[in-house]
Amino acid sequence: PPPPPPAMQSVSTSLGKRPERRSKMSRMRQRVAARLKESQNTAAALTTFQEVDMGNFMEMRARHKDEFAKIHGVKLGFMSVFVKAATAALQEVPSINAYIDNETQEVVYRDYCDISVAVASPNGLV
């Protein structure tokens, strides 16, 4: 059977307590991580594209866009749907949201999601 997940720790930040789990890396995992980082620094990057059926959202948007703009003063765009989908993916596959703490040689699994989005304003992007 797989080993139990590491115990969750709370990390205090300016945003309050945020749960994280830490898992010590084996020597093999440390070596793989080092080689992956070397590869990232020296090899060409790859971009993938996914096709998504946006039909349901497009229908919902068409039905509610005028009312949404009237109430909120902005158009009902696509970004909220993309952020929601990205957040769901991060929660479903926690290793995507993890990072390696080189000082402690641990994988840190964040049990929260931070997603930043640039937003246009009259003075430029915020």
Side-chain angles (χ1 to χ4, degrees), residues 3-4 7 12 16 18 22 24-25 28 40 54 63 66 75 80 83 85 89 94 98 102 104 111-112 121 123 126:
S12 294
R18 307 186 72 169
R22 291 178 168 262
K24 202 74 172 162
M25 290 193 298
M28 179 179 277
Q40 180 187 35
M54 295 286 291
R63 275 185 289 146
D66 295 333
K75 293 180 181 178
S80 57
V83 170
N102 288 319
T104 62
D111 291 329
Y112 57 89
S121 76
N123 296 328
V126 180

Side-chain angles (χ1 to χ4, degrees), residues 24 100-106:
K24 202 74 172 162
I100 295 173
D101 183 336
N102 288 319
E103 289 183 24
T104 62
Q105 292 299 307
E106 294 174 321

Side-chain angles (χ1 to χ4, degrees), residues 3-107:
M8 198 176 318
Q9 302 173 355
S10 288
V11 178
S12 294
T13 68
S14 61
L15 300 173
K17 295 237 181 238
R18 307 186 72 169
E20 291 183 344
R21 293 173 286 122
R22 291 178 168 262
S23 176
K24 202 74 172 162
M25 290 193 298
S26 68
R27 291 186 64 68
M28 179 179 277
R29 181 84 186 254
Q30 291 174 28
R31 192 68 172 156
V32 168
R35 294 288 189 206
L36 284 172
K37 185 60 181 162
E38 282 178 33
S39 175
Q40 180 187 35
N41 292 340
T42 60
L46 172 69
T47 301
T48 61
F49 295 90
Q50 301 294 321
E51 289 190 26
V52 178
D53 179 1
M54 295 286 291
N56 289 339
F57 175 71
M58 298 293 287
E59 179 188 329
M60 186 273 303
R61 183 174 181 257
R63 275 185 289 146
H64 299 286
K65 68 179 182 179
D66 295 333
E67 180 183 1
F68 187 90
K70 183 179 174 184
I71 293 171
H72 300 286
V74 294
K75 293 180 181 178
L76 180 57
F78 297 96
M79 187 57 67
S80 57
V81 174
F82 297 140
V83 170
K84 177 68 175 171
T87 302
L90 290 172
Q91 291 171 334
E92 187 175 322
V93 186
S95 60
I96 295 172
N97 200 26
Y99 71 94
I100 295 173
D101 183 336
N102 288 319
E103 289 183 24
T104 62
Q105 292 299 307
E106 294 174 321
V107 179

